Amino acid sequence: MPHSTMQDTLSAHRNELVSLLSRFVARGKGILQSHDLIDGLMETVKEDEGMQKLNDSPFMKVLKSAREAIVMPPFVAMVFRPRPGVWEYVRVNVYELSVDHLSVAEYLKLKEELVDGQSNDSYVLELDFEPFNATFPRPNRSSSIGNGVQFLNRHLSSIMFRNKESLEPLLDFLRAHKHDGQVLMLNDRIQNISRLQAALAKAEDYLSKLPLHTPHSDFEFELQGMGFERGWGDTAQRVSEMMHLLSDILHAPDPSTVETFLGRIPMVFNVVVVSPHGYFGQANVLGLPDTGGQIVYILDQVRALESEMLLRIQKQGLDIIPKILIVTRLIPDAKGTTCSQRLERISGTNHTHILRVPFRTENGILRKWISRFDVWPYLETFAEDASNEISAELQGVPDLIIGNYSDENLVASLLSYKLGITQCNIAHALEKTKYPDSDIYWKRLEDKYHFASQFTADLIAMNNADFIITSTYQEIAGSKSSVGQYESHTAFTLPGLYRVVHGIDVFDPKFNIVSPGADMCIYFPYSDKGRRLTSLHGAIEELLFDPKQNDEHIGMLNDRSKPMIFSMARFDKVKNLTGLVECYAKSSKLREVANLVVVGGYIDITKSLDRDEMQEIEKMHELYKKYDLNGQFRWIPAQMNRARNGELYRYIADTKGVFVQPAFYEAFGLTVVEAMTSGLPTFATCHGGPAEIIEHGISGYHIDPYHPDQVAMLLADFFAQCQNDPTHWAKISNGGLQRIYERYTWKIYSERLLTLAGVYGFWKYASKLERRETRRYLEMFYILKYRDLPVFITSISVKKSLFDSVK
């Protein structure tokens, strides 16, 4: 909706607007979130007959798109989001009944005044990345967000079609493309487009006379004489297909042909995946602080990538051995894990290893684990050391670097900048949306979370990346009613530090949705009896029903005939396991029909080192006693055995139970995919990725953790419906399985990621997507602003006991 239309709509109903906003002004200064505004709107509608008549009017639709408001009587400044990725700002004077448009900077200044009071300093550092991208094409429909490579291919193939000179970069790329000094595509016999077209026609005619499965070695010399090197394919059929694709591009380029051709060019042989925080290992790490779904994601990711890389290299007719390195932190005090081991091969692979590099300062090597919130002072040195270790292991530089989470993406940016390689970012979870108002009140949270460093690192990394992949659309641009993780970085302020008037554009074609899956060797349907791990049932039943109360389990399940409500997650506030327990505890109806089983954290609080986790452990014990849950509730600490966890999902399914994911926000929801892959009906948060994974009422259910009464009612109604209709449980179970097979497998993921790496690698070369101006701007911002921020994180570094002493 254009600014003028929105202002006109609001101005036309000034009386109703005042009726709504007066109740907020009466409360004095403050900030209101969307749910506050909607609740206030609903209350006003109930009390005001005039508002009831406007229920379906454009005025009400505008109000329902409000995401935030700053109340500074007599003014109320409001942010409207008519659709994902589009923001508008207005200010209403409740006393004078006026409505004015605000710029982004003006609105952010009001937020700063709310927090710090009025400032006489008119010079505030403002970050604005929009001028660097103003001339670069991007889609404008919200539905196109996350389909960046398709848009890019459409745009650039259109240019090729209109202007044949635009084909020259493709020729230059094919002639220059090498690996370890070996030319892969075109040699010096082909100097221009006309010569390439003639050579292709000659080669295609030659190949048409050969049997389809003739190996490349039988005709390698002939093709080389025409100007074609070894990277076109392993058989006559494959080479012919590649050449036909290129001929089509030269004559009439279209987006699909361009993507298919670029995806088949041998481009990615060495990959580095960066993940410094937490305990990165293959065993005995899950459930340790900062060590959860991301570790599982990366391990499954690299196994799938190696398999796909080997398959592609074979089809490309090359004998190159690919290498993948997961670069993480070496932790000398490794707590019984392998995290003190420098190099570790990933099981199930032949060419993929974990490479561990320690955190180092002038005091020596950091020996112990530290929280992901405290890693910022060590990352620059870590990146420098990692660069040297990577070069030594690969005997060269990687073709692609993949960052994971905020700290890893900053390290990936530093390495990409230094080595000149293609960078892919995966956020997993950007903290800004997890902690409401964590930007404007960053000073209150700085000692605990160091959000100034994190949000600054996020801005640098997402603007430096060549492409960004997310698991869902929600992660980028949210939904009609919720803001996406990346979208929340469009405009914000850290009062007293800097103001971001244009941080990231979710319409940028660097964004692509590539959804992961679950390891189907571990997670498979409960109905697949031939693969069931029945030998683990004894251990599972001990976990669930052993009457002993100790550090391995608390609570009893007296009625084993009841179905189980099951949840498994890391123990922190955002995951909200204690919220689920309280929701269950307060619902007598739910307690009558089902038991509750929760897996997560430690039962003994002294075993935890994590701040959030310790608070949640304490709260869980309080809830257990307060609501007298013994007999209906079982709490089991975090479980490290993935195979047993997979069978645990299926065992719960045998009881006709359900899985609940109650997080206040979840970027993707790997446990949701695991549960659905196991055939377990799943109820998951509507805030974040699970809302996209699950089709409500078909392949599972959406729940709102901010309304626990409604969650309890939905669960109780489900169990009641299953009692009345025994086929209902199987219907939802099968709907979940069908959804997984269609959208969420690692095979689909690895194919897509490698195709994107090839496409963006080419366009970076051909279209100057390096965005040099942006990167110089980022370099200045990093040096002048970011580098000073971690200096203030002293809570860890001053503790000499954490370091090896410097002799």
Side-chain angles (χ1 to χ4, degrees):
M1 183 180 292
H3 297 314
S4 58
T5 306
M6 177 167 286
Q7 282 182 249
D8 291 345
T9 302
L10 294 174
S11 298
H13 298 278
R14 290 184 294 178
N15 184 56
E16 291 82 0
L17 191 60
V18 169
S19 176
L20 169 64
L21 298 184
S22 291
R23 69 172 61 234
F24 297 130
V25 170
R27 300 173 191 171
K29 290 184 179 182
I31 184 168
L32 304 172
Q33 299 298 333
S34 59
H35 58 88
D36 300 316
L37 293 164
I38 296 298
D39 291 345
L41 179 60
M42 293 301 102
E43 289 173 17
T44 305
V45 168
K46 287 179 184 177
E47 299 168 3
D48 189 328
E49 290 184 10
M51 290 286 278
Q52 292 172 17
K53 295 175 184 176
L54 296 170
N55 209 25
D56 295 320
S57 68
F59 172 68
M60 291 295 280
K61 290 178 181 177
V62 167
L63 288 181
K64 288 178 180 178
S65 72
R67 302 308 310 164
E68 183 181 82
I70 302 296
V71 182
M72 299 186 74
F75 297 105
V76 179
M78 304 179 73
V79 184
F80 295 94
R81 181 177 174 267
R83 61 186 174 92
V86 177
W87 296 79
E88 298 178 24
Y89 304 83
V90 300
R91 182 176 63 183
V92 180
N93 186 325
V94 177
Y95 296 171
E96 297 182 2
L97 306 184
S98 62
V99 181
D100 301 309
H101 168 69
L102 289 177
S103 69
V104 178
E106 287 170 334
Y107 179 80
L108 294 176
K109 185 178 180 183
L110 288 174
K111 293 184 82 168
E112 293 157 7
E113 290 177 4
L114 177 69
V115 176
D116 289 342
Q118 283 198 329
S119 171
N120 296 322
D121 187 359
S122 57
Y123 295 98
V124 175
L125 174 61
E126 284 191 353
L127 287 176
D128 186 356
F129 289 94
E130 188 172 29
F132 299 105
N133 303 315
T135 60
F136 197 80
R138 62 200 59 231
N140 53 28
R141 292 183 302 160
S142 296
S143 59
S144 297
I145 293 171
N147 295 313
V149 76
Q150 290 94 324
F151 174 83
L152 200 58
N153 286 333
R154 280 198 305 272
H155 173 74
L156 294 172
S157 60
S158 174
I159 292 175
M160 286 179 176
F161 185 80
R162 293 195 307 266
N163 180 6
K164 295 304 180 184
E165 290 182 4
S166 299
L167 292 167
E168 291 294 336
L170 178 58
L171 172 65
D172 294 342
F173 176 79
L174 294 174
R175 294 184 68 237
H177 188 46
K178 299 177 181 179
H179 175 71
D180 283 346
Q182 176 187 349
V183 176
L184 295 178
M185 302 303 291
L186 300 178
N187 59 40
D188 289 341
R189 288 180 173 83
I190 297 176
Q191 299 285 340
N192 53 54
I193 294 293
S194 59
R195 181 72 187 90
L196 174 59
Q197 289 175 317
L200 283 169
K202 183 178 179 181
E204 287 187 84
D205 179 65
Y206 172 80
L207 291 168
S208 68
K209 299 170 185 175
L210 299 177
L212 294 178
H213 299 295
T214 304
H216 182 269
S217 57
D218 286 4
F219 54 84
E220 178 177 4
F221 180 76
E222 287 78 4
L223 285 191
Q224 199 171 46
M226 300 178 199
F228 301 100
E229 293 295 329
R230 293 185 58 192
W232 292 84
D234 60 335
T235 65
Q237 181 180 11
R238 183 79 176 180
V239 174
S240 183
E241 288 172 358
M242 278 287 283
M243 291 184 170
H244 187 70
L245 287 169
L246 182 55
S247 293
D248 285 348
I249 291 171
L250 296 178
H251 288 97
D254 72 84
S256 176
T257 305
V258 168
E259 182 173 315
T260 302
F261 177 73
L262 294 176
R264 290 189 179 186
I265 295 175
M267 301 241 332
V268 180
F269 305 103
N270 295 323
V271 176
V272 167
V273 179
V274 187
S275 184
H277 77 248
Y279 289 85
F280 200 107
Q282 300 182 76
N284 303 321
V285 297
L286 293 182
L288 293 175
D290 291 337
T291 309
Q294 180 177 317
I295 305 297
V296 176
Y297 177 108
I298 294 172
L299 290 173
D300 289 344
Q301 174 197 53
V302 294
R303 291 186 181 105
L305 280 177
E306 181 183 297
S307 178
E308 182 64 19
M309 288 167 71
L310 285 168
L311 179 62
R312 289 188 177 214
I313 290 169
Q314 176 192 332
K315 289 182 176 180
Q316 288 155 354
L318 303 171
D319 55 7
I320 296 168
I321 296 175
K323 291 182 181 178
I324 301 175
L325 292 177
I326 302 171
V327 178
T328 188
R329 183 190 158 207
L330 186 147
I331 307 174
D333 294 351
K335 292 189 68 172
T337 71
T338 57
C339 294
S340 59
Q341 181 179 322
R342 178 183 175 274
L343 201 64
E344 177 184 355
R345 185 173 64 82
I346 299 296
S347 62
T349 72
N350 293 312
H351 313 293
T352 302
H353 293 79
I354 301 171
L355 173 64
R356 297 187 179 91
V357 179
F359 281 173
R360 177 176 60 83
T361 74
E362 67 274 7
N363 295 317
I365 291 173
L366 197 65
R367 294 193 57 82
K368 299 181 183 296
W369 167 86
I370 58 171
S371 165
R372 70 184 187 277
F373 296 115
D374 297 325
V375 300
W376 307 104
Y378 313 104
L379 296 182
E380 185 173 303
T381 303
F382 176 81
E384 292 171 2
D385 294 344
S387 176
N388 296 329
E389 296 286 341
I390 290 166
S391 297
E393 287 299 320
L394 298 180
Q395 294 296 297
V397 298
D399 305 298
L400 173 68
I401 187 161
I402 303 172
N404 295 272
Y405 192 69
S406 299
D407 53 331
E408 291 93 328
N409 285 326
L410 180 66
V411 173
S413 297
L414 295 173
L415 290 171
S416 170
Y417 185 82
K418 180 177 181 178
L419 301 175
I421 53 179
T422 302
Q423 177 188 346
C424 167
N425 279 10
I426 306 173
H428 294 286
L430 294 166
E431 301 289 347
K432 191 168 173 295
T433 46
K434 288 185 181 181
Y435 298 85
D437 300 330
S438 53
D439 46 7
I440 62 169
Y441 295 119
W442 69 275
K443 292 175 185 176
R444 298 180 186 176
L445 302 167
E446 189 64 6
D447 287 346
K448 185 175 182 180
Y449 294 116
H450 311 302
F451 283 145
S453 293
Q454 182 152 7
F455 297 166
T456 305
D458 286 332
L459 270 179
I460 291 169
M462 62 182 69
N463 279 286
N464 192 72
D466 295 296
F467 67 102
I468 296 171
I469 66 170
T470 67
S471 300
T472 61
Y473 179 97
Q474 299 251 342
E475 197 176 332
I476 309 169
S479 64
K480 185 177 180 180
S481 59
S482 64
V483 178
Q485 287 189 67
Y486 281 96
E487 189 181 10
S488 73
H489 293 75
T490 302
F492 66 96
T493 181
L494 300 179
L497 197 59
Y498 58 80
R499 181 187 299 159
V500 181
V501 297
H502 197 284
I504 190 70
D505 185 353
V506 295
F507 290 94
D508 194 310
K510 70 169 62 180
F511 284 104
N512 293 274
I513 300 166
V514 186
S515 302
D519 184 344
M520 291 189 176
C521 294
I522 301 290
Y523 305 100
F524 52 85
Y526 74 98
S527 56
D528 192 347
K529 302 297 184 183
R531 299 174 65 196
R532 291 290 298 269
L533 305 176
T534 54
S535 61
L536 297 175
H537 284 196
I540 288 172
E541 288 173 358
E542 184 176 334
L543 273 179
L544 293 171
F545 305 117
D546 189 337
K548 294 176 185 174
Q549 303 293 290
N550 51 35
D551 289 350
E552 299 304 314
H553 28 68
I554 276 185
M556 285 290 295
L557 304 179
N558 291 340
D559 186 351
R560 293 176 60 167
S561 67
K562 289 182 183 179
M564 297 181 196
I565 299 169
F566 177 52
S567 193
M568 178 162 56
R570 217 171 49 245
F571 244 41
D572 63 37
K573 290 179 181 178
V574 176
K575 295 296 185 184
N576 193 37
L577 286 181
T578 55
L580 172 62
V581 173
E582 189 164 16
C583 164
Y584 173 83
K586 289 181 175 180
S587 173
S588 57
K589 188 176 179 182
L590 197 52
R591 292 174 70 166
E592 284 177 13
V593 297
N595 294 317
L596 176 62
V597 176
V598 168
V599 174
Y602 294 99
I603 291 173
D604 181 356
I605 196 170
T606 63
K607 292 183 179 180
S608 177
L609 298 173
D610 186 85
R611 296 180 283 256
D612 275 0
E613 185 179 57
M614 292 169 74
Q615 291 175 5
E616 292 298 288
I617 291 170
E618 198 171 88
K619 184 177 179 181
M620 186 71 91
H621 283 290
E622 290 172 0
L623 291 170
Y624 178 69
K625 294 173 184 175
K626 178 180 178 180
Y627 292 100
D628 190 22
L629 288 171
N630 192 32
Q632 299 165 311
F633 169 67
R634 184 76 155 185
W635 175 17
I636 302 166
Q639 299 298 297
M640 311 290 190
N641 188 326
R642 287 185 75 202
R644 189 170 68 184
N645 287 347
E647 189 61 26
L648 178 57
Y649 281 117
R650 293 184 287 273
Y651 191 97
I652 302 293
D654 291 337
T655 76
K656 293 296 182 281
V658 300
F659 180 79
V660 179
Q661 209 278 26
F664 288 118
Y665 184 86
E666 185 65 53
F668 177 60
L670 198 55
T671 55
V672 171
V673 173
E674 291 171 356
M676 292 170 70
T677 306
S678 303
L680 197 54
T682 299
F683 294 68
T685 180
C686 63
H687 300 291
E692 196 169 321
I693 298 171
I694 291 173
E695 304 154 294
H696 185 72
I698 299 172
S699 53
Y701 297 90
H702 302 153
I703 59 172
D704 188 345
Y706 291 101
H707 295 92
D709 293 347
Q710 295 174 16
V711 175
M713 188 181 301
L714 183 64
L715 284 163
D717 288 348
F718 174 80
F719 286 118
Q721 191 170 354
C722 290
Q723 283 185 333
N724 295 329
D725 177 7
T727 66
H728 184 65
W729 187 94
K731 176 185 171 184
I732 301 300
S733 170
N734 291 334
L737 285 167
Q738 183 177 345
R739 181 71 170 168
I740 293 298
Y741 297 147
E742 289 172 353
R743 298 279 294 273
Y744 301 100
T745 72
W746 282 109
K747 174 65 175 172
I748 297 170
Y749 175 98
S750 59
E751 290 173 350
R752 193 69 189 141
L753 177 55
L754 288 176
T755 295
L756 291 176
V759 171
Y760 280 96
F762 164 70
W763 290 129
K764 180 176 180 177
Y765 173 91
S767 303
K768 309 305 178 189
L769 282 189
E770 297 93 340
R771 302 177 182 179
R772 291 187 184 91
E773 300 90 344
T774 305
R775 292 187 178 179
R776 294 295 287 175
Y777 188 62
L778 289 169
E779 182 182 3
M780 181 173 64
F781 182 49
Y782 176 84
I783 293 170
L784 297 180
K785 183 57 67 176
Y786 172 81
R787 291 184 89 198
D788 288 339
L789 295 175
V791 171
F792 300 105
I793 305 176
T794 58
S795 58
I796 297 295
S797 60
V798 297
K799 297 180 181 179
K800 301 291 186 181
S801 61
L802 294 178
F803 293 91
D804 281 329
S805 59
V806 181
K807 302 290 185 180

